[in-house]
Amino acid sequence: MEMRERVLSSVLEAVGDTPLIRLARIVGEHANPVAVKLESVNPGGSIKDRIAVALLDAAEAEGRLHPGGTIVEATAGNTGIALAMAAAVRGYHAIFVVPEKMSPDKIAILRAYGADVKVVPEVPRDDPDNYQEQAVRIAAAIPGGCYVGQFVHRANPDAHYATTGPEIWAGTAGRVAAVVAGAGTGGTLSGIGRYLKRQDPAVEVVGADPIGSIFTGPVAPFKIEGMGEDYYPETLDPSVVDRWLAVSDEDAFAMARRLAREEGILAGGSSGAILHVALRVARETRRPGWVVAVLPDTGRNYLSGIFRIGS
Ligand code: PMP
């Protein structure tokens, strides 16, 4: 038998094609089947691997990023990890500005990839010391600096339109009743939503939102990391979202712990929030087909928080 080499040319080629897994125990009776899209199996450990390469490609093509340059980004962690991985492969230096509430676990990972990390207090989007503004200023002050811009660049939602959306459609053979995702930049929800609606306008696109985030308002502090905002990012297209459902920190974290213990899937707090909403959608929907919950990252990022022993 002839054997064919299957060796990838870099870790970046291992991004995407993540599994869809049916939940067996957590979904009650009289509900549609629920499948989770397990984005933690990406090599950088989250859904953000998908946008990192696309954002760097765009920056290079637009002449904003040159060989040996320094990428600077505002990130709640996962985009930083994905960009740090891509920067290592492509020979860029990386600096990340992260909000104070970010888990120490994720900061340690950024440093492990060789990135510099600046932790800043959390202030509103329109404050000049907001983490996005700080990242813009740092990039401008460094020769060869490039602000990546996950909150503004089309390459972010477009990466999900090109990969995550088609994977969900193909993986369910087009039998999708609803898809549930969170929104930080809104790239995931907008890109997947646009793709699925184009295949079948009746697919329900549901945004899971922390209580305290603006999409379900009013704005107040919350603990869930990576999703929920205090303003509408340019990368979010609210027109593809059929409805938003709010979820509390407690419900989100309780669901993340149940997912680990009852289904053997260790996912983060935003995943818990998204799944909490997905189970409700699965009970309520009148359309046949899968309810797909897109789980952004792994619970290993939160061992000192949500999964601390005794919690
Ligand atoms: N959950 C986590 C843990 C994340 O890091 C992110 C990305 N900020 C999201 C959810 C939301 O994804 P998006 O930015 O595509 O809306």
Side-chain angles (χ1 to χ4, degrees):
M1 194 185 82
E2 206 196 319
M3 290 196 295
R4 197 168 49 85
E5 243 181 33
R6 280 191 300 163
V7 181
L8 305 179
S9 63
S10 89
V11 70
L12 303 181
E13 284 186 12
V15 173
D17 269 329
T18 56
L20 272 170
I21 301 167
R22 179 180 187 146
L23 297 186
R25 310 170 72 159
I26 245 176
V27 186
E29 283 172 32
H30 312 298
N32 282 38
V34 175
V36 296
K37 181 89 171 136
L38 200 63
E39 291 297 307
S40 57
V41 307
N42 282 301
S46 87
I47 193 162
K48 292 298 191 168
D49 286 10
R50 296 175 182 272
I51 71 165
V53 174
L55 285 166
L56 290 193
D57 283 346
E60 289 166 0
E62 291 159 8
R64 295 187 291 117
L65 179 59
H66 304 283
T70 298
I71 61 167
V72 187
E73 182 63 313
T75 165
N78 286 321
T79 300
I81 294 167
L83 284 169
M85 175 179 76
V89 171
R90 295 201 178 172
Y92 298 121
H93 182 55
I95 301 175
F96 300 111
V97 184
V98 304
E100 234 166 21
K101 85 170 173 188
M102 200 175 118
S103 75
D105 315 62
K106 282 196 272 182
I107 294 174
I109 295 170
L110 290 176
R111 295 199 166 121
Y113 278 104
D116 287 334
V117 182
K118 186 172 183 211
V119 182
V120 300
E122 226 154 317
V123 294
R125 176 70 189 91
D126 52 10
D127 188 308
D129 282 332
N130 178 272
Y131 76 139
Q132 292 188 41
E133 294 308 318
Q134 295 212 39
V136 170
R137 280 204 299 275
I138 291 170
I142 296 173
C146 170
Y147 175 62
V148 179
Q150 62 164 332
F151 288 91
V152 291
H153 207 293
R154 268 200 74 90
N156 169 1
D158 286 355
H160 294 290
Y161 183 88
T163 69
T164 331
E167 287 173 30
I168 291 170
W169 184 251
T172 56
R175 287 189 290 275
V176 194
V179 66
V180 184
T185 65
T188 306
L189 194 58
S190 308
I192 292 176
R194 184 157 52 93
Y195 181 84
L196 293 179
K197 291 257 185 223
R198 206 167 153 182
Q199 312 311 310
D200 178 357
V203 172
E204 192 185 15
V205 177
V206 181
D209 196 39
I211 292 174
S213 162
I214 195 166
F215 311 125
T216 47
V219 172
F222 55 88
K223 295 203 189 91
I224 298 167
E225 292 179 42
M227 63 189 259
E229 279 299 335
D230 61 356
Y231 78 111
Y232 277 77
E234 285 167 56
T235 36
L236 171 68
D237 176 4
S239 74
V240 302
V241 184
D242 293 297
R243 59 179 171 142
W244 295 92
L245 292 172
V247 50
S248 68
D249 288 333
E250 293 70 28
D251 284 344
F253 298 162
M255 187 57 76
R257 289 189 284 263
R258 275 191 72 190
L259 184 62
R261 289 161 197 188
E262 295 177 36
E263 302 278 352
I265 294 173
L266 189 64
S270 71
S271 296
I274 291 160
L275 185 57
H276 182 87
V277 166
L279 295 187
R280 177 172 158 191
V281 172
R283 289 191 301 269
E284 290 177 1
T285 186
R286 293 174 187 280
R287 273 172 56 79
W290 290 98
V291 172
V292 176
V294 182
L295 306 190
D297 76 349
T298 167
R300 291 187 193 188
N301 287 341
Y302 311 94
L303 293 180
S304 60
I306 308 167
F307 295 102
R308 205 172 38 230
I309 297 299
S311 58

